[in-house]
C-alpha cells in the first residue's frame, strides 16, 4: 500500500438504537457507542432509515437548551420542523442541512414536519454536535439554513457521481456552511462502479457513515449501509469505489485540543462553566420558547 494512504482503523456496526424524544430513533456512533477520537465532531446520532406510521400529532423533541457547540442536522428522508428562542424556524427537507450555532446559549425544539407526519413514510437523518473552541463558545447564537439546491457541488468525471460540499472544500469547490475551525463535511453520491479520491491532512480525525449502498476503501476494506468507517491519524489519501449506488456522509476535521466538560446539552471546557450554563438556563438567560 502507498505510504501516503490514510488507513482504515475500523469498520464499525451501528450501535443499538435508542429514542430521542418520540421522533428520532438513533444509533449513537460516538461518543457513547464507540470511544473514538473524532474532534471537532463531539457526537454523531444516526437515524437509520425507518418508516414512521402516519400520525396527526407530530413526533419529536420538546424544548431543550444547548450551549458551547453547534448542531448540524442533515436530512435524507422525511422532514423536520424546528424552532428556537432566537426566533428562527423552518423545515429541513431531504437534502437540506440545518447548521445551528448554539454557542452562548439557545432553546430549541424539533418535530416531524406536519404534512410528513400525517402521511408517515421513510425517515433518515444525521445529527452532529460540532464542538467550538473555547474562544468561541460564548459567541452569539446563529443559524445557517442550507437548502439542497444551494449546496455547492463538484461533479465527478466518468459519470462516477458527485460530491456535495456542505462545509470545507473539495477540489476547487468551497462548502456552503461557514465554520469556526477547519472542517470538511460532504455527501458523496456515487454511481455503481464510481470512484473518488479524497485527501485530508494526516492529523484530521476522519470517518464516514454509509447512508446507503456499499463501498470498497483503499482497494481492500468493504463497508455497507449503516456502518461507520473510522480512519487512522496517518497518511492523507483515501480511495473509494462504489460497489453499488451509494450515499456516504464524509467527516474530517482538525481536532480541537482543549479540555472538555460535558453535561447533557452543554459542552464546555471546565466543570465551572457547566455549572454556569445550568445557572444561566435556570435563570431564563437562554430566552423563551413555547413548548
Amino acid at each position: 500500500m502507498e505510504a501516503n494512504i490514510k488507513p482504515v482503523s475500523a469498520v464499525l456496526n451501528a450501535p443499538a438504537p435508542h429514542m430521542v424524544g418520540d421522533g428520532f430513533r438513533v444509533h449513537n456512533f460516538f461518543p457513547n457507542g464507540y470511544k473514538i477520537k473524532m474532534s471537532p465532531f463531539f457526537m454523531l446520532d444516526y437515524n437509520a432509515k425507518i418508516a414512521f406510521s402516519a400520525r396527526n400529532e407530530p413526533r419529536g423533541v420538546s424544548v431543550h437548551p444547548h450551549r458551547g457547540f453547534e448542531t448540524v442536522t442533515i436530512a435524507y428522508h422525511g422532514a423536520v420542523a424546528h424552532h428556537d428562542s432566537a426566533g428562527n424556524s423552518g423545515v429541513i427537507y431531504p437534502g437540506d442541512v440545518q447548521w445551528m450555532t448554539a454557542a452562548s446559549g439557545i432553546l430549541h425544539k424539533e418535530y416531524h414536519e406536519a404534512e410528513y407526519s400525517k402521511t408517515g413514510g421513510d425517515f433518515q437523518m444525521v445529527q452532529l454536535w460540532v464542538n467550538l473552541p473555547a474562544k468561541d463558545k460564548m459567541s452569539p447564537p446563529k443559524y445557517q439554513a442550507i437548502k439542497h439546491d444551494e449546496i455547492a457541488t463538484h461533479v465527478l468525471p466518468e459519470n462516477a457521481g458527485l460530491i456535495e460540499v456542505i462545509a470545507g472544500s473539495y477540489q476547487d469547490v468551497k462548502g456552503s456552511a461557514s465554520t469556526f475551525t477547519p472542517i470538511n463535511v460532504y455527501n458523496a453520491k456515487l454511481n455503481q462502479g464510481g470512484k473518488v479520491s479524497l485527501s485530508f491532512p494526516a492529523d484530521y480525525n476522519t470517518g464516514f457513515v454509509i447512508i446507503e449502498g456499499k463501498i470498497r476503501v483503499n482497494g481492500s476494506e468493504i463497508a455497507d449501509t449503516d456502518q461507520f468507517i473510522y480512519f487512522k491519524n496517518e497518511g492523507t489519501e483515501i480511495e473509494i469505489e462504489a460497489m453499488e449506488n451509494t450515499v456516504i456522509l464524509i467527516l474530517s476535521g482538525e481536532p480541537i485540543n482543549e479540555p472538555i466538560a460535558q453535561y447533557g446539552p452543554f459542552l464546555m471546557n471546565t466543570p465551572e462553566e457547566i455549572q454556569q450554563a445550568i445557572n444561566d438556563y435556570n435563570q431564563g438567560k437562554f430566552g423563551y420558547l413555547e413548548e
Side-chain angles (χ1 to χ4, degrees), residues 8-269:
V8 171
S9 175
V11 177
L12 304 171
N13 291 324
H18 67 274
M19 293 301 294
V20 176
D22 65 355
F24 303 91
R25 180 181 178 271
V26 302
H27 306 269
N28 182 264
F29 275 107
F30 57 84
N32 299 323
Y34 295 98
K35 302 301 180 189
I36 56 178
K37 293 191 297 183
M38 279 298 294
S39 174
F41 307 101
F42 177 79
M43 188 199 78
L44 193 164
D45 268 351
Y46 172 51
N47 192 130
K49 184 160 57 170
I50 57 170
F52 278 105
S53 58
R55 182 166 152 175
N56 285 328
E57 187 68 26
R59 301 171 175 90
V61 183
S62 60
V63 176
H64 55 282
H66 292 302
R67 173 178 279 181
F69 63 101
E70 303 181 287
T71 67
V72 179
T73 304
I74 305 168
Y76 296 96
H77 295 279
V80 173
H82 61 90
H83 295 81
D84 68 37
S85 55
N88 298 305
S89 65
V91 178
I92 313 161
Y93 290 106
D96 296 348
V97 177
Q98 180 216 41
W99 198 295
M100 185 181 79
T101 304
S104 62
I106 205 163
L107 301 179
H108 190 230
K109 64 180 180 180
E110 47 216 320
Y111 285 89
H112 293 184
E113 186 270 332
E115 291 308 309
Y116 163 76
S117 193
K118 286 174 184 172
T119 60
D122 285 345
F123 191 87
Q124 187 177 24
M125 302 267 164
V126 167
Q127 186 171 90
L128 300 165
W129 288 12
V130 180
N131 193 16
L132 292 172
K135 67 182 179 63
D136 296 315
K137 282 188 178 292
M138 294 300 289
S139 56
K142 69 171 186 172
Y143 172 78
Q144 300 173 76
I146 307 169
K147 294 296 182 187
H148 185 226
D149 61 6
E150 298 168 352
I151 295 176
T153 299
H154 176 92
V155 178
L156 298 166
E158 299 175 13
N159 195 36
L162 55 86
I163 306 284
E164 294 176 350
V165 187
I166 298 167
S169 60
Y170 177 78
Q171 307 283 32
D172 54 347
V173 176
K174 187 166 173 13
S176 305
S178 66
T179 67
F180 287 82
T181 61
I183 298 171
N184 295 290
V185 180
Y186 313 152
N187 272 322
K189 299 181 175 179
L190 304 179
N191 298 319
Q192 183 171 358
K195 296 181 180 180
V196 64
S197 300
L198 303 171
S199 182
F200 301 117
D203 66 328
Y204 275 33
N205 291 322
T206 302
F208 302 169
V209 184
I210 311 303
I211 302 296
E212 63 181 66
K214 188 175 190 175
I215 63 172
R216 182 180 286 112
V217 181
N218 297 338
S220 54
E221 283 88 0
I222 289 174
D224 215 329
T225 303
D226 299 341
Q227 290 185 315
F228 184 88
I229 311 172
Y230 179 53
F231 290 86
K232 294 182 180 179
N233 292 105
E234 54 191 75
T236 58
E237 308 305 306
I238 300 170
E239 299 291 331
I240 302 171
E241 179 185 358
M243 301 172 72
E244 51 193 64
N245 291 345
T246 295
V247 178
I248 315 161
L249 175 62
I250 294 170
L251 307 171
S252 186
E254 182 178 74
I256 298 173
N257 293 314
E258 295 176 350
I260 282 180
Q262 185 241 340
Y263 177 78
F266 305 129
L267 183 57
M268 304 302 289
N269 298 104

